[in-house]
Amino acid sequence: MKQSSYKLIEYTMLLFGVIIFALSFWQSRHHVGQQIIITAGAAVFYVIWGLVHHWMEKRLTLEIALEYVLMGAFTFLLVLIALGV
Amino acid sequence: MRAYLPDSTSGIEKYQFIYHFIPHKEHKSRARLLSHGALISYSFVLVIFAVLIRFLPAFAPGVLGYASDINVSDLLRYTNERRAKVGLRPLSLNKELNDAAYKKANDMFKVGYWAHVSPLGTKPWDFVLNEGYDYIYAGENLAKNFSNSEDVVQAWYDSPTHRENLLSPNYDDMGFAIVNGVLDGYETTIVVQMFGRLRAPTQLAAVNEISEGFPSTQVPITEPEEAVPKEAVEVKSAPEPALANLQSGTLPAAEKEKGFVDVRAVTQSITIVFGGFVTALLGVDIWYSKKHGIFKLTGHTLAHLAFLLVAIASVMLSVFPGSVL
């Protein structure tokens, strides 16, 4: 499979991931506990997506892995604050 | 302080400070405010805020709270509008159910619980019967921390079990209480909605208790148990809704509490400030890197931006601090 096909699949997966996150988050809008779990799941998904993406591009480094972990954690905390938890 | 770079550097790039906000051409790195250290710092500050919001009420009850603008006439109107849409007759405001709802709300603040049944075992129906409302059907919906009447009714409507009460053909009457007080350390507004239908002398009573594990059941009417002692309750409550006021549309709202920090406003502001700041930096990173052809060995900036933007948008559209029971 061509590199461009891999990329298309990767970005489609990311797009689906964030859309599913947004829809599930909306669906659970009156259930804070569910929203926390959904956000945690989305953050983990994002970190894994980043790691796979860079691994497939053969440029995964510890620094890049840490960047995805930090971005996932930051976003999770941001939502947690908004939920008033 | 002003530092100079080689002669080839011009414009804003000659100011080192600008590299806090834009990527560095020579270093091929992100803006310093997007570095790992910066992200750790933001996360740390967010954790501090989360801890503060979570534990401050335990040490200083009533300092944090939820501002609200809820009133009985709107709750009544929105409820009956929902019923009208499915062809059900409107419910009437009933004084006994208003009183029962008011006493239930006060009991929650006084005893300190958020449930249909109090830790002392007092059930919603005890309040209803104590007010002399002899029901054949009864139901109760609860809500707290909402900012307006429409959101309260919408949240009940979105919950299948609460919607069952809102749209039940078994009820004739309805009562509301909107009471302010301190619950779990937070200044908050509790809304109690009681439903009922008076029974004919020979009928058995049924209650529709909206709570998981408490399906609607047929129960024989019993003498109401002794309610918890009616001591002075430290709540700032709305006056009991008077039926006489209904016609004039001046049913009271809960008193608007002053002097506490609105949790909703604080948390949303923090989210917007921090999220907006990092989003803007990521946007600048994409634009500036493309403009100057900077290739950085970092994570995917566009992916970060997309993920963060979706999270912020979700927070703006889908976070309602209120909860129903």
Side-chain angles (χ1 to χ4, degrees), chain B residues 174-237:
Chain B
M174 187 165 48
F176 289 106
I178 307 161
V179 182
N180 289 334
V182 177
L183 188 67
D184 296 332
Y186 290 95
E187 182 71 48
T188 191
T189 302
I190 285 181
V191 181
V192 179
Q193 184 181 37
M194 294 276 194
F195 300 90
R197 172 181 283 179
L198 285 167
R199 77 176 176 107
T202 55
Q203 289 176 305
L204 293 178
V207 295
N208 192 9
E209 192 163 359
I210 295 304
S211 178
E212 279 184 34
F214 289 89
S216 303
T217 49
Q218 289 281 332
V219 295
I221 292 174
T222 55
E223 284 297 312
E225 293 168 25
E226 187 60 35
V228 289
K230 295 183 172 72
E231 294 164 11
V233 183
E234 273 196 88
V235 292
K236 286 143 180 115
S237 60

Side-chain angles (χ1 to χ4, degrees), chain A residues 11 18 21-22 25-26 29-30 35 46 49 53-54 59 63 66-68 70-71 74-75 77-78 81-83, chain B residues 30 36 40 42-43 46 49-50 155 158 267 271 275 278 298-300 303-304 308 311 314-315 317-320:
Chain A
Y11 289 117
V18 292
F21 161 70
F25 200 80
W26 167 254
R29 60 194 177 280
H30 298 300
Q35 286 183 315
Y46 183 66
W49 180 89
H53 173 78
H54 287 275
R59 59 185 192 96
E63 202 161 303
L66 187 61
E67 182 181 321
Y68 279 91
L70 288 172
M71 192 53 76
F74 172 72
T75 308
L77 285 169
L78 211 59
I81 286 279
L83 290 170
Chain B
R30 283 225 172 89
H36 291 179
I40 290 170
Y42 304 148
S43 300
L46 289 177
F49 272 121
D158 287 341
T267 54
T271 304
V278 173
T298 60
H300 206 300
H304 290 339
L308 198 54
S314 297
V315 161
L317 296 173
S318 314
V319 170
F320 300 95

